Amino acid sequence: MKQQLTNIWKDWRLHAIVLAIVLLTETIGTHSFNVGPGVVLLLPMLYAIIIGLALFFTPVIKEKQSKNAEPLIVLGVTVLIAKIGVIIGPSLPQIIEAGPALLLQEFGNLGTILIALPVAVWLGLKRESIGMAHSVAREPNVGLIMDKYGFNSPEGRGVMAIYIFGTVFGAVFMGLISGFLATWTPLHPLSFAMASGIGSGSMMAAASGSLVAAFPGMENDILAFAGASNLLSLSTGLYMSIFIGLPLTERLYQFMTKKKNNTSVRKGA
């Protein structure tokens, strides 16, 4: 680990590329456009992800820089979480006042199973859909699926597909959708701050960044609620998946595939 960190700090090519991307995206700045009554915010983070992804397919970034950049994401999110931890303190009364909404938020995440799993089965996916639909497929959930089904199982392939997809596109999606919905719907911005804490630091950062850009006067409250929500999701989300999410996905998958097979048999007859 020590040698890996040494190699990262000595990779001046990587640092120069990152600095250039940051300077470019900050120069472009934040832009927005209206879609109906809502507003879509385009933040520097979004530009940085797109530019970095595009550069990966050019000679500018080599495999060495790509591998060295991975641990830097964790370090960057750690700094963000430390900042949020400092902000949470003064906002504790508001967070405590929100009480049940924060504590029960994980049950809301189960609602995605009812949407994602039927779509996956309808598209023709088999047991891969269990790994794909039971959660947002972050690190704890990947570990859960690997432990129960194995890495080479259909469920393992499914959860890894969503993990990779979420890593590449999750922050972009969360950054766009949070700002749009917060300005399009009558729901309070702090409800979207709580919804941005799904157990992923990068996705939370993108979502809360859009909310702060849309409601700059509520910056501290938005970051505090998003951070507290993300912390609760990290601490309780895995247990929710073990005891409720994954068993529910298994049962629904068996029910839907059995019904689908019966319908196919009747049509064949």
Side-chain angles (χ1 to χ4, degrees), residues 2 21 37 41 43-44 49 69 92 103 114-115 137 172 186 191 212 224 227 236 241:
K2 184 178 179 180
I21 292 175
L41 294 165
L43 301 176
I49 292 174
L92 276 177
L103 294 175
L114 305 178
I115 300 172
V172 176
S191 66
V212 168
T236 63
S241 294

Side-chain angles (χ1 to χ4, degrees), residues 138-149 159 238:
R138 293 298 88 201
E139 287 82 356
N141 299 98
V142 171
L144 170 63
I145 294 297
M146 298 309 172
D147 181 64
K148 183 165 184 178
Y149 301 102
V159 74
L238 180 60

Side-chain angles (χ1 to χ4, degrees), residues 2 12 32 59 91 94 111 121 127 135 137 143 146 154 162 186 219 223:
K2 184 178 179 180
W12 298 110
S32 63
S91 302
Q94 295 96 314
V121 173
R127 290 191 63 85
S135 70
M146 298 309 172
I162 297 300
E219 178 177 359
L223 292 177

Side-chain angles (χ1 to χ4, degrees), residues 238-258:
L238 180 60
Y239 299 104
M240 186 67 73
S241 294
I242 292 173
F243 296 112
I244 300 179
L246 190 55
L248 175 63
T249 307
E250 280 270 15
R251 294 289 181 85
L252 284 176
Y253 174 79
Q254 293 172 5
F255 171 77
M256 285 186 289
T257 51
K258 183 178 180 180

Side-chain angles (χ1 to χ4, degrees), residues 59 64 123 158 165 209 243:
K64 176 185 176 181
L123 290 173
F165 188 87
F243 296 112

Side-chain angles (χ1 to χ4, degrees), residues 3 24 45 53 61 66 73 105 120 160 165 174 193 214 227 260:
Q3 183 60 43
L24 176 60
M45 178 183 287
L53 184 62
I61 294 181
S66 179
I73 297 175
Q105 67 169 347
M160 284 306 301
F165 188 87
M174 291 292 289
K260 186 177 180 181

Side-chain angles (χ1 to χ4, degrees), residues 40-231:
V40 175
L41 294 165
L42 304 178
L43 301 176
M45 178 183 287
L46 173 62
Y47 313 143
I49 292 174
I50 294 174
I51 294 172
L53 184 62
L55 288 177
F56 178 76
F57 297 100
T58 69
V60 175
I61 294 181
K62 300 179 179 179
E63 186 176 353
K64 176 185 176 181
Q65 280 73 51
S66 179
K67 289 183 178 179
N68 286 341
E70 293 177 7
L72 294 179
I73 297 175
V74 178
L75 293 176
V77 171
T78 301
V79 174
L80 173 68
I81 292 174
K83 176 187 176 184
I84 290 173
V86 174
I87 292 174
I88 285 177
S91 302
L92 276 177
Q94 295 96 314
I95 293 173
I96 294 173
E97 188 178 342
L102 275 172
L103 294 175
L104 298 176
Q105 67 169 347
E106 281 302 321
F107 287 98
N109 292 336
L110 297 176
T112 58
I113 297 173
L114 305 178
I115 300 172
L117 187 62
V119 172
V121 173
W122 176 72
L123 290 173
L125 294 168
K126 302 300 182 183
R127 290 191 63 85
E128 290 87 352
S129 60
I130 295 175
M132 299 173 75
H134 85 285
S135 70
V136 293
R138 293 298 88 201
E139 287 82 356
N141 299 98
V142 171
L144 170 63
I145 294 297
M146 298 309 172
D147 181 64
K148 183 165 184 178
Y149 301 102
F151 184 81
N152 292 321
S153 64
E155 296 84 355
R157 291 192 294 272
V159 74
M160 284 306 301
I162 297 300
Y163 176 78
I164 295 170
F165 188 87
T167 300
V168 177
F169 299 106
V172 176
F173 175 80
M174 291 292 289
L176 291 174
I177 199 69
S178 62
F180 175 73
L181 291 178
T183 54
W184 182 61
T185 66
L187 296 176
H188 197 279
L190 293 183
S191 66
F192 289 100
M194 285 189 282
S196 67
I198 60 174
S200 167
S202 59
M203 293 185 197
M204 181 208 67
S208 58
S210 290
L211 294 173
V212 168
F215 305 95
M218 302 179 65
E219 178 177 359
N220 286 346
D221 287 341
I222 288 172
L223 292 177
F225 272 78
S229 172
N230 203 58
L231 180 61

